[in-house]
Amino acid sequence: MEITYKVSGMTCAGCSSTLQQKASKLKGVEHVSVYLLDGIMEMQVNDKFDEKELLTLVSKLGFTLHKEGRQGDIEEQAKEKKSILGYKQRFIISILFTIPLFYITMCHHHLKAPLPSFLHNANNYALAQLLFTIPILIVNYQFFIDGFKGLFTGNANMFSLITIGATSAIIYSLFIMFRINIYPDNVMQIVMEQLFFEAAGTVLTFVTLGKWLEERSKQKSSTEIEKLLKLMPEFVTVKDGESWVERKLSAVKVGDILLVKKGENIPADGEIISGYSFIDKAAITGESLPVEVNTGDKVSSASINTGNAFEMRVEKIGKETLLSKIIQMVKNAGRSKAPIENLVDKISAIFVPIILGLSTLTFVVWSLITAFTTGFSFATALNYAITILVISCPCALGLATPLAIMVGTGKGATLGILYKNAEAMQSFAKVDCILLDKTATITEGELKVKDVLIYDKNLSQNELLSIMASCESQLKHPLATCIMSYVAEQKIVLTSVENVAYEIGKGASFYYKGKKYFLGNRKLLEKLTLSIPQALQSLEEEGKTVVLLADEQKVLVGLSIMDTIKATSKDAILHCKNMGIEVAMLTGDNSRVAKVIAEQVGIEKVYSEVLPEDKLNIVKESKKYGKVVMVGDGINDAPALKEADIGVAIGNGTDIAIDSADIVLASGDLISLVDGIRLSIATSRNIKQNLFWAFVYNILAIPFAAGIFAWAGISLTPWMGALAMVLSDVFLVANVLRLNTFKGINKIKKKRKQ
């Protein structure tokens, strides 16, 4: 059983790692994943699971749990914006008091900036620092609540580090204020060198700035989801008897008739029952041009009506609509964990305790150093201990991977590339071989009858075609639809056939007026030991698919059917080959047809006349030599798609495609395949850069903060450490947001032409 919770109170990667680790040990929990960015915990549990135990654990760790994590996606977006506004207001208030505090301390002490005469008195000088610090402490009190809560519950987090550092600075500074009234000698020098009010104030201000920027980056990373959410209208026009009324979308039911006017978002999935128009599907497929639709066509909630008003019958609503599934798919991908995160989670879980230990050790060491050299200096030891606490950046470790995944998958959604999870995105960047299905993947998949050759004089052409179409009407093969459409255009009436028996990959046998007939391809006739007329063989050599009708003695009629190659297929395959990826084609068509298509798009390796089980075996064999991607329509190729390292469904985002593959190319364009690989490579590179920066920053920053290079005159103060921590986060976020500048190949080409 799957359960999803909303978790409040997590502040850094250590929080999410600790909760995940401890929750996984509860009785009845089979699997658990905790996602810091959106505060979600997903659990797989069995009958032994006791929710009370989970609630007790979460409460003990200092977090809050809600059974239904989402009170509506729109409300979540509003809550995020409110959080951002809160941090912004706190930062503005904090910086207004930090600037004068910083001036009278750092600027005066180091740059000899002038001070008003009344601050030349030590008590006034100390009191001024305290008065400027108090408002900063008040507006940022939540840091102390979260920090101490983490300490008291044994779940120390980033705010625990900040809280210990700021509290230590305030308490020691208050002690110094008391001391200067007892020991008045050199009081101004003591106040100058041993008060840490500015350290506490600037640290809290910079941390607030960091959290504000972090929350803004989270919101920007979910911008694409927000765009999708805006495609759902709040009100719709519903037919009530003979009149039209306006109702909330939530009140719409399956079977309702809706009126969709020009410029309106299509509110549900359904079928047009009256009218024709053009719909814009760019939000899902990335297509720039609207698509024409008419009565009988299907439309989805992921589109905008850009033409005439039309009436539609609702077939799917709520979570069952294409738009809802796409949104959920993008969300799941954004919050899923890439394999590389397992290492990061382990490090994050112990990061804060290690920093607390290092800070304590630094304080002890510097206490001893000063005691045996210049004389014991509590202020010096405290300075380095606090600096270590505030310069360490667990956020950089925690955000490095999930933020990049969220931005990458969101960007993919705008290009019609839908990743099901982070693992698929990471694996897509390492592909060695791509196996392409032919029909509806390399080609358009819109088959049309091109030639009709008659070889029987006893029956008329119309009767032969009627027999063929009557058999095809009982089959669900793509060729059947093509032949049925052709016969309908010729206004040929269907007849009655019996005992239709279909054989996968070959064709069917049936009875007409008591006589047995066969309808299928070359394989079926070869099984019957019937020869194929030379004219039909010539059509196959031209790349056309031939469907044959025969009795037990000879071929009676042959139809040639041709599919057109997609405009971008050749270009996409060339791009893949230029990236060093081997490309092969799989098709159930005969070798002649396959060869012609392959030559036209530049594919050398072709597997023709393969059945679904053959495709599966080819995938298995190919996996021995590298990472394999199988690209198909998500229906006939389902076994091969699931067996491949990465299954890619290409099409218009149908339910089956979404359910059967790791990645969906909603536009049905092979250029999206190339863009998907390029985007995965860019995202994987971004993650590696982020992790490298996060590790290197902490490895380099902590020794400097600990005063290891003080002998060379290089040392840091707490405010410098806090600024360095914020700049670390800013650097990481800026690097992640570069993914938003990623452009698909088609857009790059358009820009070059301009």
Side-chain angles (χ1 to χ4, degrees), residues 718-737:
W719 75 265
M720 294 178 184
L723 179 60
M725 182 192 70
V726 172
L727 292 177
S728 172
D729 275 353
V730 170
F731 178 87
L732 184 144
V733 168
N735 188 48
V736 169
L737 294 180

Side-chain angles (χ1 to χ4, degrees), residues 480-645:
T481 304
C482 171
I483 294 172
M484 291 283 293
S485 298
Y486 177 76
V487 169
E489 289 173 5
Q490 303 300 314
K491 298 182 179 179
I492 297 173
V493 180
L494 299 186
T495 185
S496 176
V497 297
E498 300 173 337
N499 300 328
V500 177
Y502 181 68
E503 188 174 353
I504 295 176
K506 296 178 181 178
S509 63
F510 62 96
Y511 286 86
Y512 170 64
K513 293 184 177 180
K515 184 178 179 180
K516 191 172 186 179
Y517 290 87
F518 302 90
L519 179 64
N521 57 22
R522 174 190 289 268
K523 281 187 176 182
L524 182 65
L525 296 194
E526 287 176 349
K527 181 180 178 182
L528 300 171
T529 66
L530 298 178
S531 60
I532 300 175
Q534 182 61 42
L536 293 176
Q537 293 183 36
S538 299
L539 292 175
E540 288 181 334
E541 291 170 0
E542 295 174 11
K544 298 175 181 177
T545 299
V546 174
V547 179
L548 305 161
L549 175 67
D551 57 20
E552 294 177 306
Q553 283 77 42
K554 64 175 183 177
V555 173
L556 304 177
V557 63
L559 299 183
S560 74
I561 296 173
M562 191 172 184
D563 192 2
T564 54
I565 295 172
K566 292 179 180 178
T568 60
S569 291
K570 184 176 180 179
D571 196 21
I573 290 166
L574 179 61
H575 278 290
C576 290
K577 292 165 74 174
N578 288 340
M579 287 190 286
I581 303 171
E582 182 183 9
V583 182
M585 184 176 78
L586 309 179
T587 178
D589 273 344
N590 63 69
S591 58
R592 292 184 179 87
V593 174
K595 184 179 179 181
V596 171
I597 298 295
E599 287 177 351
Q600 290 179 10
V601 296
I603 294 178
E604 291 82 22
K605 197 170 187 178
V606 180
Y607 299 92
S608 58
E609 302 182 40
V610 293
L611 302 175
E613 57 265 31
D614 297 325
K615 292 184 180 182
L616 179 62
N617 292 330
I618 291 169
V619 170
K620 288 180 179 178
E621 183 64 25
S622 300
K623 286 173 68 176
K624 296 178 181 178
Y625 307 101
K627 195 169 290 293
V628 176
V629 170
M630 174 65 197
V631 187
D633 61 13
I635 303 173
N636 298 328
D637 303 308
L641 285 171
K642 290 188 178 295
E643 176 62 31
D645 294 300

Side-chain angles (χ1 to χ4, degrees), residues 210-227:
K211 291 300 294 181
W212 175 31
L213 295 175
E214 184 182 313
E215 292 300 319
R216 283 189 64 190
S217 70
K218 289 179 184 179
Q219 186 195 31
K220 284 185 178 180
S221 68
S222 60
T223 298
E224 304 309 331
I225 293 179
E226 190 172 2
K227 288 179 181 176

Side-chain angles (χ1 to χ4, degrees), residues 54-78:
L54 176 64
L55 292 171
T56 301
L57 169 66
V58 172
S59 178
K60 185 178 178 181
L61 292 175
F63 307 134
T64 306
L65 204 65
H66 307 283
K67 182 66 175 293
E68 288 296 332
R70 304 171 184 81
Q71 298 176 357
D73 292 312
I74 301 297
E75 287 80 358
E76 274 193 44
Q77 297 289 338

Side-chain angles (χ1 to χ4, degrees), residues 200-215:
T202 52
V203 164
L204 292 173
T205 299
F206 286 141
V207 171
T208 303
L209 173 61
K211 291 300 294 181
W212 175 31
L213 295 175
E214 184 182 313
E215 292 300 319

